[in-house]
Amino acid sequence: MAFDGVTMAAVARQLQNTIIDARISKIAQPEDNEILMTIHTQDGNVRLLMSADASLPLVYLTENNKQGPLTAPNFCMLLRKHIQGGRIISVTQPGLERILKLEIEHLDEMGDVCRKFLIFELMGKHSNIIFVNGDGIVIDSIKRVSAAVSSVREVLPGREYFIPQTQQKADILDTKSICIDSLAQAQPLFKAIYGGFTGISPILAQELCYRADVDSDRPIESLNPEQKKRITDALKMFSVQINAGEFNPCLVYEGKKPKEFAAVRLSLYNHEGAQIVDVESVSALLEQFYREKNVVVHIRQRSADLRHIVQLALERNSKKLDLQLKQLKDTENREKYRLYGELLTAYAYQIKGAQKEVTVDNYYTGEQTVIPMDPQLTASENAQKYYEKYNKQKRTYEALTGLIEDVKADVEHLQSIQASLDIALAEEDLIQIRQELAESGYVRKKSGGKKEKVTSKPFHYISSDGYDIYVGKNNFQNDELTFKFANGGDWWFHAKKMPGSHVVLRVRQGEEVPDRAFEEAAKLAAYYSQGREQEKVEIDYVRRKEVKKPNGAKPGFVVYYTNYSMTTDSDISGLTLENK
């Protein structure tokens, strides 16, 4: 799912067809490492988003606006001063590098025409937006990079701008440079291709192998001349396609989830049962694919501290539980020691002299029992020794039994909080999770001040037959949904023996709920559980009145003794979400 050089070439071609000779009317900086420019074209306004965020760097045209801060950051103010109102005269991409270069013409303070460059570099965590004057000198950048940060290149005001050459790769746009024999001969073919040519991602390399009808996992050195010719021809045809700007952006879906994307059609998925969906433009492709991913990345960053706390507590309790279970296993012989003591006491009058072991009748089973003895002790003293072992292990067993139940409850509670963090979609969803951790003693309660207002509500879905289905986002919501919101006659669903949300299917008075509504509620219970990625999940469902909460139980913990079960998948694409 890489934003590769070919994807950048498609973005550059779209911009060349859209914003050349257009003027920059507004510049905003909605996020720390993000620039959003409103550009006035002959066909109306478009917006160009450039994000140098380390976790999700992107560049594409969008119709969506984003609100910037009341006080614009320094880099945004600098761009407004120099290029707001300027005209974009060219959009270029050096080779197939993941670099986009906007050349902008504007008037300086003296009214003279001058040119500057806004350069977007998509390089993973090193992504940047760099503002350069006409002489190639850096004016500033959204991320300043000193020599202490990078030994390859400084990105600071006054430094000369250049593209670092860190990899020796061939340019696939130059058909003369395409030579299979120059690639790594021992590597699998697709690895040799994306490792040998600039701008090619692993999935594109596999696509090229598919087009040439050559096994992508075979090393080049094992190919015959005909196979080498086919792969060379496929590379050259691909080069011609990219040079001509013949892009066909597509998304590949596996079920209802996007699996891959590319700026060209991924025909290798034609025979894998996947669905290939053509998208009208590369910008629409990127916005559609990364919309959900961006939400997940954002909320994961916001919840990183909570995840760390939960993970540490879970690891600590899991280790404690393992140790206690091991200690409990050591008490398995306690009844044997009690029996030895009892038999030695009963037959003490028959046992004479020092012996290492004795064989006596077990009057419980009628069988012979061999009992190890300490020859330096009498039978009665050996019996007393076994009784002491028995009593010690009995006390250990009784103490551990209660402790293990408590630790198991803690582990299950922490796992349920992990599941809540996994389904959180917004920062307000984290407030109740933080409160739950504070009440459980895992984080410190805030002293003084106002209590955070809870605005997060359970998910509300509408079934295909129009029935309301509610899903708790965390343990507090699960308890409220089950015991305060739901009626006794409503149906309650939960993934069997795993952390997950409480799901309530509302029943309409006097109506019989159709089977499809049950199935869809079960799918929701599967989707919002730890088993989401499994092909099938077993779901328990029962009338709400059958669900009980034991006294003193942790949030979200319930019991039920009679229930129905069904096995289902976690595909909820057919359901309508009323609110998040």
Side-chain angles (χ1 to χ4, degrees):
M1 297 182 290
F3 191 136
D4 56 22
V6 174
T7 304
M8 185 65 86
V11 173
R13 181 58 65 105
Q14 185 185 11
L15 295 183
Q16 289 162 2
N17 295 334
T18 307
I19 65 173
I20 298 299
D21 285 331
R23 291 195 177 274
I24 302 170
S25 59
K26 292 181 182 178
I27 302 175
Q29 190 172 340
E31 304 287 346
D32 290 343
N33 297 313
E34 186 175 279
I35 293 295
L36 181 65
M37 296 195 299
T38 303
I39 302 170
H40 183 69
T41 72
Q42 291 182 348
D43 299 323
N45 287 340
V46 296
R47 294 184 177 89
L48 177 61
L49 177 74
M50 291 185 286
S51 173
D53 185 82
S55 60
L56 200 60
L58 287 170
V59 56
Y60 56 81
L61 290 174
T62 178
E63 296 180 357
N64 298 319
N65 196 10
K66 296 179 74 172
Q67 191 67 36
L70 293 177
T71 303
N74 291 337
F75 186 68
C76 180
M77 293 295 290
L78 178 72
L79 295 182
R80 287 177 180 176
K81 175 184 175 182
H82 286 274
I83 61 174
Q84 187 160 296
R87 183 171 66 93
I88 300 171
I89 59 175
S90 72
V91 178
T92 56
Q93 176 195 20
L96 274 184
E97 296 287 350
R98 292 184 297 174
I99 297 173
L100 202 63
K101 194 173 185 180
L102 275 63
E103 186 178 6
I104 303 161
E105 185 180 80
H106 69 101
L107 299 178
D108 63 12
E109 294 88 344
M110 304 298 295
D112 296 327
V113 176
C114 58
R115 293 182 177 181
K116 293 187 174 66
F117 299 91
L118 189 62
I119 303 170
F120 175 73
E121 297 182 342
L122 194 152
M123 299 177 178
K125 66 180 181 180
H126 303 296
S127 298
N128 210 341
I129 304 171
I130 307 170
F131 190 39
V132 178
N133 68 18
D135 297 323
I137 303 301
V138 175
I139 300 173
D140 208 346
S141 59
I142 205 163
K143 297 178 186 176
R144 292 187 176 183
V145 182
S146 66
V149 176
S150 173
S151 60
V152 177
R153 178 187 64 163
E154 286 185 312
V155 183
L156 295 170
R159 298 290 193 272
E160 182 181 358
Y161 174 80
F162 64 93
I163 300 172
Q165 297 295 327
T166 57
Q167 294 178 320
Q168 299 300 320
K169 291 187 175 184
D171 183 3
I172 200 171
L173 297 180
D174 179 10
T175 55
K176 295 180 181 179
S177 69
I178 297 175
C179 177
I180 290 297
D181 292 331
S182 65
L183 302 179
Q185 298 295 298
Q187 281 190 344
L189 178 58
F190 84 97
K191 286 187 178 181
I193 290 173
Y194 80 74
F197 292 103
T198 301
I200 304 296
S201 62
I203 191 63
L204 272 187
Q206 291 178 327
E207 168 67 14
L208 290 168
C209 295
Y210 178 83
R211 293 181 182 183
D213 193 22
V214 179
D215 186 352
S216 62
D217 291 320
R218 287 188 61 180
I220 295 177
E221 60 189 6
S222 70
L223 302 181
N224 60 40
E226 172 60 24
Q227 290 169 324
K228 287 185 177 182
K229 182 180 183 304
R230 289 206 305 269
I231 193 65
T232 300
D233 289 344
L235 290 168
K236 289 183 177 180
M237 288 178 63
F238 183 71
S239 175
V240 171
Q241 177 186 358
I242 301 305
N243 277 312
E246 297 174 358
F247 298 102
N248 185 4
C250 73
L251 272 170
V252 178
Y253 284 88
E254 195 173 65
K256 297 295 181 180
K257 297 180 181 179
K259 176 182 176 67
E260 287 284 3
F261 77 83
V264 297
R265 190 168 180 81
L266 295 175
S267 51
L268 80 161
Y269 284 103
N270 284 340
H271 305 292
E272 294 192 5
Q275 181 186 9
I276 303 175
V277 178
D278 294 326
V279 184
E280 60 180 352
S281 70
V282 68
S283 290
L285 169 79
L286 294 169
E287 188 168 24
Q288 182 176 340
F289 184 85
Y290 282 110
R291 184 184 296 118
E292 183 176 346
K293 185 171 183 179
N294 196 21
V295 169
V296 173
V297 169
H298 178 78
I299 197 63
R300 278 189 170 271
Q301 290 173 339
R302 294 292 187 268
S303 64
D305 58 332
L306 299 182
R307 289 179 179 278
H308 182 66
I309 290 167
V310 172
Q311 184 62 33
L312 285 179
L314 189 55
E315 289 175 359
R316 183 168 58 249
N317 280 281
S318 295
K319 289 179 180 177
K320 185 191 295 184
L321 181 61
D322 289 341
L323 180 61
Q324 289 174 343
L325 289 173
K326 184 179 178 181
Q327 291 174 331
L328 187 68
K329 188 175 179 63
D330 292 338
T331 67
E332 290 178 349
N333 289 326
R334 64 187 183 282
E335 290 300 324
K336 181 177 71 173
Y337 295 145
R338 182 195 60 76
L339 177 64
Y340 286 173
E342 185 177 328
L343 292 176
L344 285 174
T345 301
Y347 293 108
Y349 69 95
Q350 296 180 0
I351 302 171
K352 305 298 183 182
Q355 299 183 47
K356 291 186 177 181
E357 63 179 37
V358 295
T359 302
V360 297
D361 290 329
N362 184 344
Y363 40 74
Y364 291 109
T365 64
E367 298 176 348
Q368 296 281 294
T369 298
V370 178
I371 304 176
M373 298 267 288
D374 183 345
Q376 297 182 352
L377 301 178
T378 65
S380 297
E381 289 171 338
N382 272 287
Q384 185 61 33
K385 188 176 179 181
Y386 278 123
Y387 278 132
E388 289 173 359
K389 280 187 177 182
Y390 163 71
N391 287 322
K392 182 179 180 181
Q393 290 194 0
K394 180 184 176 184
R395 289 192 300 270
T396 302
Y397 172 80
E398 291 171 347
L400 282 173
T401 301
L403 291 173
I404 286 172
E405 289 303 313
D406 290 342
V407 177
K408 277 184 177 179
D410 288 339
V411 169
E412 290 174 0
H413 183 216
L414 289 164
Q415 287 175 337
S416 69
I417 295 176
Q418 269 190 335
S420 299
L421 287 168
D422 287 340
I423 65 174
L425 296 179
E427 290 186 53
E428 53 263 30
D429 295 338
L430 303 177
I431 293 175
Q432 287 180 302
I433 298 175
R434 188 181 293 277
Q435 289 176 355
E436 183 179 353
L437 287 169
E439 289 188 10
S440 300
Y442 294 111
V443 298
R444 185 178 299 174
K445 291 184 179 180
K446 291 184 178 180
S447 57
K450 292 184 178 180
K451 189 175 181 179
E452 289 183 281
K453 184 179 179 181
V454 176
T455 58
S456 176
K457 301 295 181 185
F459 293 113
H460 177 200
Y461 285 86
I462 304 296
S463 77
S464 302
D465 298 295
Y467 283 82
D468 295 310
I469 307 174
Y470 297 88
V471 182
K473 294 179 181 176
N474 54 62
N475 287 322
F476 283 169
Q477 286 189 17
N478 286 336
D479 279 349
E480 185 172 355
L481 185 63
T482 300
F483 298 108
K484 294 183 180 179
F485 176 79
N487 297 318
D490 292 337
W491 287 95
W492 183 90
F493 297 75
H494 195 279
K496 191 178 188 69
K497 294 182 178 179
M498 67 174 65
S501 296
H502 294 195
V503 176
V504 170
L505 170 61
R506 297 305 297 265
V507 174
R508 300 170 188 165
Q509 191 170 5
E511 289 189 17
E512 185 176 347
V513 181
D515 290 343
R516 183 163 58 176
F518 280 94
E519 292 167 0
E520 290 174 343
K523 287 178 182 290
L524 284 167
Y527 184 81
Y528 290 106
S529 76
Q530 200 177 61
R532 176 188 294 196
E533 301 301 326
Q534 298 177 13
E535 288 187 9
K536 296 292 182 181
V537 182
E538 188 174 358
I539 305 298
D540 287 343
Y541 63 104
V542 65
R543 290 282 188 182
R544 207 301 284 153
K545 61 186 177 183
E546 301 295 335
V547 182
K548 310 296 181 185
K549 188 170 187 67
N551 291 332
K554 295 183 182 297
F557 181 81
V558 298
V559 293
Y560 49 93
Y561 302 103
T562 58
N563 63 274
Y564 304 96
S565 292
M566 74 169 76
T567 301
T568 185
D569 57 41
S570 57
D571 181 8
I572 61 170
S573 55
L575 289 164
T576 302
L577 178 59
E578 288 291 293
N579 76 286
K580 294 184 179 182

